[in-house]
């Protein structure tokens, strides 16, 4: 091991970073004075930094070619720096002054999580007013949703919908050329395509969905909102650890956004995850046993839902770049408290990983980019083998189940250890009989060590991946889960039981050799 007293320096203090001198010029234009340093030696003036920032966003969309012209894209806005910067990039990309315009039709969604984060009703209304000002200024159709609405979601949210066969059949290049050709033909007479888009957006704004705010004046709506809020608080109150609460909150938020996207015809959802956030998420998911779904959780596109694809166009930006851009160009942001606001440093695994990574980044500036580039090499398991080979999916996160492993694996060893540790030796009783005189089969007997609700939990866990199992294990009451989760679990259990009953009557597909017909 290295020693601090060695001649080569060992683990001593790192060398100071070089400071930008007044004589240094912008690394791109070589003329203007720099206003910020992104990395060591990368000094930019204001104009060149803006061009660099915008180009990176366009290049990310153009390189992946995931969004076709005319598609409806839902922007998930949280009010934070990354999502607000993403909204500004889309605004500028659709403006008339832009040379190469973006060609999709955007909408915005904001999910109010104030009930879980301890905000009062007045504080939540104040935050919604601030965000609604930003949303109205954007000119895009927007939807205000409350986390309490997850109790009214249908169970179809937890079912993967196949890709739309009526989607774009042409290549990306042909689709763009057709879109431009159609736009030029319509410029001669009648309303142009941008004007029709604006009319459609204004119509959607007038009928935007915000049931939690529209019905507050009615006593029935107020009572229903209060009941849903109480259910949500009871649900998160039954979760023992902050780590499980954050995972559950992320799952419910994704379900609500997915429902809004399907209900309003959006085929893509844009998330504002930055490079820094994805690096933290990668290490966190590894710690939580979600390594099998890392490629979808941190990649550019996530198609686990089938008909709605999640894209992350901000994944190349560091938190430092986003903060500088928002400060220099006046991007409005709205602060909203999170679950871990004012929490201790070691309150959750998310906080521990974040603190660890940020501490390394402060001393070694390439830490975040190294973790991010490592995760970029991951690839999802190809799932286009046909409908007959559709894998089993987790009930909550809809990723492919990673619990169907062979004997002798690490997961099997963990499960055996858990089973053995939960077994309790019965206390000694006279004449080999329990304290209830032989009534050990009764639940209240001291000889019966089965905890209340253990049977329901045992039936629920096989439907989950390993990461979601940890979340459910930290939940004391499964009855507080939303109805759509419990109903879908019952449906899957019934189908599994029915398949087991008719298993001997099913015909198995046999592999056909090339010589046979």
């Amino acid at each position: 091991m290295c020693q601090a007293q060695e001649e080569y320096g060992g683990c001593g203090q790192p060398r100071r970073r070089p400071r930008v001198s007044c004589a240094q010029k912008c690394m791109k234009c070589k003329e203007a004075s720099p206003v910020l340093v992104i990395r060591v030696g990368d000094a930019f003036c204001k104009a060149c930094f803006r061009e660099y920032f915008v180009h990176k966003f366009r290049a990310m969309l153009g390189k992946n070619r995931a969004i076709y012209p005319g598609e409806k894209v839902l922007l998930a806005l949280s009010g934070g720096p990354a999502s607000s910067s993403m909204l500004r990039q889309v605004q500028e990309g659709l403006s008339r002054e832009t040379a190469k315009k973006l060609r999709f039709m955007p909408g915005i969604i904001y999910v109010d999580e104030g009930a879980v984060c301890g905000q009062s009703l007045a504080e939540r209304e104040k935050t919604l007013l601030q965000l609604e000002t930003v949303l109205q200024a954007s000119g895009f159709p927007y939807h205000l949703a409350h986390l309490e609405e997850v109790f009214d979601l249908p169970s179809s949210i937890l079912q993967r919908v196949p890709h739309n066969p009526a989607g774009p059949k042409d290549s990306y290049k042909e689709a763009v050329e057709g879109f431009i050709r159609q736009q030029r033909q319509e410029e001669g007479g009648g309303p142009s395509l941008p004007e029709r888009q604006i009319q459609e957006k204004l119509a959607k704004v007038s009928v935007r969905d915000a049931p939690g705010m529209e019905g507050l004046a009615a006593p029935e709506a107020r009572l229903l909102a209060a009941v849903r809020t109480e259910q949500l608080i009871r649900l998160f109150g039954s979760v023992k650890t902050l780590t499980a609460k954050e995972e559950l909150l992320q799952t419910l938020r994704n379900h609500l956004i997915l429902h809004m996207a399907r209900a309003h015809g959006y085929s893509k959802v844009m998330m504002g995850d930055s490079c820094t956030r994805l690096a933290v998420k990668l290490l966190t998911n590894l710690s939580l046993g979600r390594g099998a779904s890392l490629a979808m959780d941190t990649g550019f596109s996530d198609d686990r839902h089938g008909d709605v694809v999640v894209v992350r166009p901000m994944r190349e930006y560091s938190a430092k770049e986003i903060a500088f851009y928002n400060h220099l160009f006046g991007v409005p942001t709205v602060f909203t408290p999170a679950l871990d606001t004012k929490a201790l440093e070691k309150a959750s695994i998310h906080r521990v990983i974040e603190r660890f990574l940020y501490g390394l980044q402060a001393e070694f500036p390439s830490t975040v980019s190294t973790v991010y580039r490592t995760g970029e090499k991951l690839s999802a398991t190809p799932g286009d083998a046909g409908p007959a080979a559709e894998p089993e999916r987790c009930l909550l996160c809809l990723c492919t189940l990673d619990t169907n492993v062979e004997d002798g694996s690490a997961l099997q060893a963990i499960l055996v250890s858990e089973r053995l540790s939960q077994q309790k030796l019965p206390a000694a009783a006279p004449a080999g009989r329990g304290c209830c005189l032989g009534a050990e089969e009764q639940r209240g007997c001291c000889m019966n060590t089965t905890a209340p609700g253990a049977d329901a939990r045992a039936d629920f866990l096989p439907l989950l991946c390993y990461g979601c199992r940890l979340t459910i294990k930290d939940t004391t009451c499964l009855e507080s889960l939303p109805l759509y989760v419990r109903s879908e679990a019952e449906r899957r259990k019934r189908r599994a039981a029915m398949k087991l009953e008719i298993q001997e009557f099913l015909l198995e597909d046999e592999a056909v050799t090339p010589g046979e017909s």
Side-chain angles (χ1 to χ4, degrees), residues 1-157:
M1 295 181 64
C2 58
Q3 302 293 332
Q5 289 79 16
E6 293 285 348
E7 295 180 357
Y8 57 81
C11 295
Q13 294 293 330
R15 287 178 288 181
R16 289 179 171 270
R17 303 179 191 174
R19 295 185 178 181
V20 181
S21 62
C22 299
Q24 187 176 355
K25 298 299 180 180
C26 174
M27 63 169 294
K28 187 173 183 181
C29 65
K30 310 295 183 181
E31 296 178 358
S33 299
V35 296
L36 76 158
V37 177
I38 299 177
R39 291 173 293 272
V40 178
D42 294 348
F44 284 89
C45 66
K46 186 175 181 179
C48 291
F49 176 66
R50 182 181 182 277
E51 183 180 350
Y52 157 82
F53 199 92
V54 172
H55 172 73
K56 184 182 286 190
F57 185 83
R58 302 289 188 83
M60 177 59 67
L61 293 179
K63 178 179 66 175
N64 292 277
R65 297 185 175 184
I67 302 177
Y68 278 67
E71 273 193 299
K72 297 181 65 177
V73 180
L74 186 63
L75 310 181
L77 182 69
S78 65
S83 61
S84 300
S85 178
M86 179 182 67
L87 175 60
R88 173 63 64 88
Q89 295 306 305
V90 175
Q91 285 181 275
E92 294 184 355
L94 292 173
S95 63
R96 294 180 179 271
E97 293 78 14
T98 305
K100 296 181 179 180
K101 297 181 181 180
L102 300 177
R103 300 181 178 90
F104 56 83
M105 301 171 59
I108 310 174
I109 182 173
Y110 171 73
V111 179
D112 175 28
E113 305 168 359
V116 177
C117 302
Q119 283 187 302
S120 62
L121 184 59
E123 293 173 341
R124 295 173 63 183
E125 291 178 353
K126 181 181 178 181
T127 302
L128 285 175
L129 289 176
Q130 293 176 355
L131 275 163
E132 197 163 7
T133 302
V134 176
L135 297 177
Q136 290 177 352
S138 68
F140 301 148
Y142 63 93
H143 314 276
L144 299 177
H146 302 270
L147 194 61
E148 292 89 335
E149 297 177 32
V150 296
F151 291 97
D152 300 323
L153 294 183
S155 59
S156 59
I157 289 297

Side-chain angles (χ1 to χ4, degrees), residues 81-82 274-277 314 316-326 358 368:
S274 63
C275 169
T276 308
R277 177 55 52 190
M314 303 294 293
E316 290 282 350
Y317 296 96
S318 65
K320 181 180 180 181
E321 293 174 340
I322 294 174
F324 271 120
Y325 181 85
N326 293 350
Y358 287 177
V368 169

Side-chain angles (χ1 to χ4, degrees), residues 131-446:
L131 275 163
E132 197 163 7
T133 302
V134 176
L135 297 177
Q136 290 177 352
S138 68
F140 301 148
Y142 63 93
H143 314 276
L144 299 177
H146 302 270
L147 194 61
E148 292 89 335
E149 297 177 32
V150 296
F151 291 97
D152 300 323
L153 294 183
S155 59
S156 59
I157 289 297
L158 301 177
Q159 301 173 11
R160 189 178 192 272
V161 179
H163 290 281
N164 186 12
K169 299 180 181 179
D170 301 331
S171 65
Y172 183 83
K173 183 178 180 180
E174 294 175 351
V176 173
E177 292 177 353
F179 183 83
I180 296 176
R181 192 183 309 113
Q182 180 184 3
Q183 187 174 358
R184 289 176 178 175
Q185 292 176 356
E186 293 175 347
E187 286 180 354
S192 62
L193 187 61
E195 292 178 354
R196 292 206 311 271
Q197 290 179 358
I198 293 176
Q199 294 174 2
E200 185 178 355
K201 292 173 185 176
L202 293 177
K204 290 182 180 179
V205 170
S206 62
V207 295
R208 78 184 194 284
D209 290 338
M213 296 298 294
E214 292 174 357
L216 282 180
E220 297 83 2
R222 281 184 176 274
L223 180 60
L224 179 61
V227 171
R228 294 303 189 202
T229 303
E230 187 65 28
Q231 288 179 335
L232 188 65
I233 295 175
R234 190 184 310 117
L235 169 61
F236 280 84
S238 64
V239 182
K240 295 183 289 186
T241 62
L242 182 59
T243 300
K245 288 181 180 180
E246 293 187 5
E247 290 294 311
L248 180 61
L249 175 60
Q250 180 180 350
T251 300
L252 296 180
R253 184 197 305 124
N254 291 340
H255 290 173
L256 186 55
I257 293 176
L258 174 64
H259 171 70
M260 297 296 290
R262 287 177 175 174
H264 296 88
Y266 293 96
S267 57
K268 299 291 190 302
V269 174
M270 270 192 184
M271 296 290 187
D273 295 328
S274 63
C275 169
T276 308
R277 177 55 52 190
L278 289 178
V280 175
K281 190 174 184 179
L282 188 145
L283 295 181
T284 303
N285 285 7
L286 280 176
S287 304
L288 294 175
R290 296 186 181 272
S293 59
L294 274 181
M296 291 188 294
D297 292 336
T298 60
F300 174 79
S301 62
D302 181 2
D303 60 348
R304 72 181 69 186
H305 305 294
D307 57 336
V308 178
V309 180
V310 177
V311 295
R312 303 178 179 92
M314 303 294 293
R315 65 192 306 263
E316 290 282 350
Y317 296 96
S318 65
K320 181 180 180 181
E321 293 174 340
I322 294 174
F324 271 120
Y325 181 85
N326 293 350
H327 173 71
L328 292 176
F329 300 100
V331 178
T333 58
V334 179
F335 171 76
T336 54
L339 268 177
D340 58 350
T341 302
K342 296 183 179 181
L344 300 177
E345 293 183 3
K346 299 180 181 180
S348 67
I349 295 180
H350 303 79
R351 290 297 299 270
V352 171
I353 297 295
E354 185 178 28
R355 180 71 175 177
F356 168 73
L357 201 60
Y358 287 177
L360 284 179
Q361 177 70 15
E363 300 295 341
F364 307 98
S366 61
T367 300
V368 169
S369 61
T370 302
V371 175
Y372 168 74
R373 298 299 176 189
T374 303
E376 201 175 25
K377 297 179 175 63
L378 300 174
S379 60
T381 303
D384 52 356
E390 178 68 22
E392 297 183 8
R393 298 188 175 273
C394 175
L395 177 66
L396 294 180
C397 66
L398 267 72
C399 69
T400 305
L401 279 182
D402 55 354
T403 55
N404 298 328
V405 294
E406 299 177 356
D407 294 338
S409 63
L411 177 59
Q412 290 293 337
I414 293 175
L415 296 178
V416 171
S417 300
E418 289 181 354
R419 195 181 310 115
L420 294 177
S421 62
Q422 291 174 358
Q423 292 180 358
K424 297 181 180 180
L425 296 177
R433 305 179 69 181
C435 63
C436 300
L437 300 179
E440 291 88 354
E441 67 277 1
Q442 299 180 9
R443 184 164 298 276
C445 180
C446 65

Side-chain angles (χ1 to χ4, degrees), residues 456 459-460 463 486 488-498:
D459 295 338
F460 200 82
L463 305 175
R486 289 177 284 147
E488 177 64 16
E490 290 295 331
R491 188 190 71 85
R492 293 193 183 187
K493 287 189 291 185
R494 288 196 302 267
R495 287 181 61 88
M498 180 181 65

